[in-house]
Amino acid sequence: MNISLEFNENNYTVREVCLEGKRIEYRAFENIVYVGNPVDTEHQRLSIFVPEQYYRDAKGKAPVKKPPVFLPNTVGGYMPGLPEEPGLDRSGKPNASFYAILNGYVVVSPGARGRGLRDENGVFTGTAPACIVDQKAAVRYLKYNRDRIPGDTERIISSGTSAGGALSALLGATGNHPDYEPYLEEIGAAKETDDVYAASCYCPITNLEHADMAYEWEFGGLSDYHWGDREGVMTEAQNMLSVMEKTLFPPYLNSLKLTGDSGEWLFLREDGNGSFKDYIVEYILQSAGREMGRGTDLTALNWLVIEDGQPTGMDWAAFIRYRTRMKTAPAFDDVFLSAPENELFGSPVTARRHFTPFSLKYTKASGEIAEEGQIKRMNPMNYIQDRAAKKAKYFRIRHGAADRDTSLAISAMLTAALRGRGVAVDYQLPWGVPHAGDYDPEELFDWIKRICQ
Ligand code: DHB
């Protein structure tokens, strides 16, 4: 198969959507396969939505400044994603694409392969790094068509939630890195760059090979877990794994040599305390302060210290008990290979594999471990120091202070590492917010407006 990568500006339909009293009108260019040699034409396609107002402004008044491109991915759970239209999200609220059009941006919604996909021969086609390779290929398609599409391809802002937040972080941290080149070549991606201008990341489920130890650093000591209607108490074996994982986190964190907002070294002692923990506490206190500023009474929270109407400290252990544990240990690289991430790190012929030496050692499923390069390509932390990776200029990271899908340490490390390389990161742990995304479209588009001025 050899598919033309040229964008056809005449192939569109005009749509109108009215939600919550707000009306948008746009041209929808859909079902565009974005690679020349696709593996999966259902997922390797994208949609482009352009505000009709852009064409009205352009009529007879050339040249009109091209609007930035908002690039929301639809990946959840590291599963395959399909392009999505401006409209309602799963919770029945207008989605981020709707707000993007409302604010005059061009929206590009790429599909991507994900875990579990198989071709007609039963070969797994969506294992890592397929999902990030596809996102990059979509960016390359846009850049290849920079003169044909109405959006400004030097102002691409990617966005995603959870696994999608991780992909957005990868797009922002690994621009043009040669590690992905052979994969892009294989699927016939346009020969272009794939760096983006900015990345919006909601609760990124990332840094997977260190996420188990971070989880136990945070939730270790709590053995009752609450995951939807799956509730219980961890077994003796799981508690043992938790204790061991917890000891691995401080040496890993210290090896990153991160610095905080005043240039202080972020470290953890063997007991898990230290300036890195203080760094997270500070963001939680800021979050509590903002919530109190909105008029919420937080005095009933026994873990929060409030003095003169300001949150000034917290009891960490009580905060963790208040939040509760969701996943059993190990949270991501499951010793029975039953976590979504085990499937992400499968191979063309092996459905599920480990991705940490720890879980390989304690496997209960005779699991194999994924190749080092496959694991490396899925972690933005591996590219932040690497000069061959062009970083986005701006990141916006939001990780709900009530999230239990992954440790708050994961987004805190990503933030500190990016700031250490001069990236402007807008980081908050929004109060009371669980594992979720796109809950603050007004603030999101205010940020986009600011960074695109
Ligand atoms: C997602 C959530 C998880 O808890 C996880 O381990 C991986 C992905 C998600 O919602 O995308």
Side-chain angles (χ1 to χ4, degrees), residues 75-78 161-164 205 227 326-327 331-332 340-341 405 435:
V75 171
Y78 284 106
T161 298
S162 193
I205 295 280
W227 189 343
M326 172 178 164
K327 298 177 174 178
F332 295 88
E341 289 76 10
D405 279 58
H435 194 63

Side-chain angles (χ1 to χ4, degrees), residues 212 328-339 342 354-355 359 363:
D212 292 333
T328 55
F332 295 88
D333 190 357
D334 182 47
V335 287
F336 294 97
L337 292 175
S338 67
N342 295 117
H354 290 297
F355 49 95
S359 292
T363 186

